[in-house]
Amino acid sequence: MTTEIDELEEQFEIVIGRKAPFSMIPDWVTLYPGSKASPQYKGKILSPTAKAVYNVLAMHVNVSRGDSACWPSRKTIAQILGFSREQSVDQYLDQLDEADALDREPITRPNGAKGVRYVVHQTPPGEFEGEQSVGEHYKHRRALEAAKLTRPPGRPRKDEVEQPDAAPAPAPEATPQESTADASVRTAADEWWAQAEELAVLGQLKPLGTDRQKERARSNLVARVREAMTSGHDLELIKLTLRELGEWGPAKAKFERALKTLKDKTPEEIELDKRAQSGAKKWWTEAEARVAQKKMGPLLADTKRQETGYYLNLRTRIREALKAGYDPQVIWDALGALGEWSPAKREFDRTLRRLSGVSQPRGSRGGRAPLFTNDQWKKDGALAAAGVPAASATPDLSVFGVQSDDAS
């Protein structure tokens, strides 16, 4: 770590050479426009912090040396003004340089470290047109106040203001016509953006927090749609890909992979995906309404990732049912009968079969019926009463590769 002993020694000499513990700050620096809203603003400003940096530099000028030079490090300036990073002072040094309040030149310190030598100007540059004294400042203020008092009340109409020397207003530029391709890109982007806003309201998509995030996401979205259309992809495929990804403005690589995956699907499969997506969205809305009516429990999902997993499972179940040929009304009734956000495959299949009129296998749990009943194993009873010999009541197990004990 490089020490600043040499710098501290130099500053110590500066303190000794000073005649009084104060710095002379010229009026023109203090009165320099501090913002673009200033009436004196003419393209350059010295913010309040830049003026404070000037003060720190003026503090380091050794008056006994007879010049206006000093060379404090950025770290020293930052520490005096309370900055946590020395780089924070750079923009204010730039403002002072642009206003010609100082000059900078690189130097090498005695310890070998690189530094900057500052020449702090006490007088303004020759072409300076700003206020140079507090007297000029108040003179300008009085002129502005007087102009406000002499102005008639209300706002004059434009046609009543005489402008004999005014140049004719330039003719408005013709608005460029939007091409067909650009119109398609904009329409597709607007359509998905509206869907994304709906998903955000439903809690199925994370909303964008700041205007910067919205601007960036919108830019990515338009770029993805334009790139896909330029590559020759179908507009409906692009819309489907956006719905599949479920992002405001997807990244390029991710969007291209999804396009490639969906491109290999047949039109029938894409249509099936669209119907499944529509059905899942409809049931998700219905489930939220049932939760509000206390007809269903809320979705137990700790993270957004888990919630997305439940939604994708629901969409998969609906797609499988549609592909198997179940009527959409039967699918909807099955979802309502189960009352689950995202039903399990086995339960959903069993409910679909029951509502479709498919006969259920015997057994309380819907499993396979037992091969033999207890009565079949009895050697007497109903079979004997029917005249069946007792020996024949024992089932023949040879089909399982087992020899009966009664076999001779």
Side-chain angles (χ1 to χ4, degrees), residues 188 192 221 225 238-247 250 255:
W192 168 244
L221 172 61
V225 176
I238 296 173
K239 294 179 181 179
L240 177 60
T241 304
L242 290 171
R243 291 194 297 268
E244 286 292 323
L245 291 177
E247 298 180 5
F255 188 71

Side-chain angles (χ1 to χ4, degrees), residues 152-174:
R155 194 176 197 180
R157 293 175 53 182
K158 293 183 179 180
D159 55 357
E160 296 177 353
V161 179
E162 296 183 1
Q163 297 179 347
D165 299 330
E173 297 182 0

